[in-house]
Amino acid sequence: MADRILLVLNGGGALGAYQCGAYKALVRHLSPESLRSMVVVGASIGAVNGYLIAAHHQDPDGGVEALERFWRNVTMPSIPFNPLPVPYAARLNATLTGLTLGNPAIFQAVPGGALGGMFRYPEMAGFDNATLARTVKTHAPARVARRESGPRLMIRAIDIEAAEPAWFDSQHEDIELSMLGASSAIPLLFKPGEHAGRTYWDGDVWHQGLLPPALDRMKGDGDGDRFHVITMELFTRTPGTQPVGFGGNLDHFRRMFLGARSDEDAAKAQATHPELRLTRIQRHPHPNERVSLWLMDWSAGRLQYLIEQGEADAERALA
């Protein structure tokens, strides 16, 4: 891998465990110099993974253990709403647990917030992700410093008042934990994130993905033109399927919309930057995903499955 690495990490809630596994495989293909010169672009849970990677890039394993430790520590035991000992019931129980309680390490359910948010949003909302920064702080420094050496970390959030994306970029400023909360606040479902007196929504909730604008920003900064772009995509289109039930159709819609956006971004990036190498690591649905809501199922078994899936998919893609 002679070209500089540009790693793109989109959002997807608990599905971010897949990126952990994919990064574990990626590090086996990278030299220490490649890790130092890498550019990491993230939004939502992808911003969290990117922060941990950038903060621990000098570790002997490139930050793999720190990333795995984070994902082990954010697992959530399930309430046995459905006691049947079958995989479908396990996924359903985990999703219902998340809907009821959230995940205290990442986001917490606000009592009465779902109903109150219908009339008083943003003062009230169903969930609040204020615990996210505290959890990340137990696994990484309180900031990723602006630096001349080491990975460049770029995080996107949506500035609510300006109604446009905002970028937090370690080439120009320290990256602080509050920026992660700002990039991870899903509109209407979560309270807006706050940083430096402004409010933000989830950086992945935008009509354009991360790759084309990140390339434009780097070109404007004179940050080189030759990149090997590696995208770790949590949602891919699955044509030829007929979803069943509300959860199945919601999941299909999300994969259809975000999968198409990833396809369009990849095509645009290659059309405008023909010198790019592009490797797409794409996740496909796991068993019983129709009842395993992407944001709510944080069970240990599911996260471990996603880590292993990401590692295997990345090895195939990088080969």
Side-chain angles (χ1 to χ4, degrees), residues 31-200:
S31 66
E33 174 56 33
S34 294
L35 284 172
R36 285 193 298 271
S37 65
M38 183 167 57
V39 178
V40 184
V41 182
S44 199
I45 197 64
V48 174
N49 284 334
Y51 187 96
L52 291 166
I53 290 169
H56 289 279
H57 80 280
Q58 292 182 323
D59 293 359
D61 63 357
V64 169
E65 171 55 29
L67 203 56
E68 286 190 301
R69 186 167 60 249
F70 170 83
W71 282 100
R72 286 196 301 268
N73 290 351
V74 298
T75 59
M76 179 76 175
S78 301
I79 299 172
F81 293 96
N82 185 333
L84 294 178
V86 295
Y88 179 92
R91 300 278 62 75
L92 179 62
N93 288 338
T95 295
L96 292 175
T97 299
L99 284 168
T100 304
L101 303 176
N103 180 337
I106 305 292
F107 61 96
Q108 292 182 306
V110 178
L115 181 61
M118 296 177 64
F119 305 99
R120 296 181 56 197
Y121 188 86
E123 288 80 9
M124 292 194 69
F127 300 95
D128 186 342
N129 71 347
T131 58
L132 174 62
R134 295 197 291 270
T135 298
V136 175
K137 191 176 181 180
T138 66
H139 296 273
R143 60 171 46 83
V144 171
R146 176 182 176 181
R147 64 183 79 191
E148 299 298 328
S149 62
R152 178 177 180 179
L153 176 60
M154 301 166 61
I155 292 174
R156 188 174 75 178
I158 305 302
D159 187 312
I160 298 174
E161 185 177 355
E164 64 183 12
W167 288 90
F168 307 121
D169 188 340
S170 67
Q171 180 151 307
H172 304 289
E173 61 187 324
D174 292 351
I175 303 299
E176 302 178 21
L177 292 174
S178 57
M179 297 172 179
L180 300 182
S183 181
S184 307
I186 301 171
L188 306 182
L189 189 61
F190 285 29
K191 290 183 178 179
E194 296 184 5
H195 172 71
R198 298 191 69 82
T199 56
Y200 297 90

Side-chain angles (χ1 to χ4, degrees), residues 254-315:
R254 187 172 180 85
R255 283 187 279 112
M256 180 176 64
F257 174 78
L258 294 178
R261 191 184 68 176
S262 293
D263 293 343
E264 291 169 2
D265 285 352
K268 181 178 180 180
Q270 289 192 301
T272 56
H273 301 268
E275 72 285 353
L276 286 180
R277 293 174 59 198
L278 177 62
T279 299
R280 300 177 67 186
I281 303 170
Q282 297 177 298
R283 188 191 72 86
H284 294 282
H286 60 73
N288 294 302
E289 186 152 331
R290 65 187 183 277
V291 293
S292 179
L293 193 60
W294 59 276
L295 178 63
M296 299 299 175
D297 184 350
W298 296 82
S299 60
R302 187 232 195 175
L303 296 189
Q304 184 59 38
Y305 176 94
L306 288 165
I307 291 172
E308 294 172 1
Q309 183 189 26
E311 185 174 5
D313 287 352
E315 280 293 350

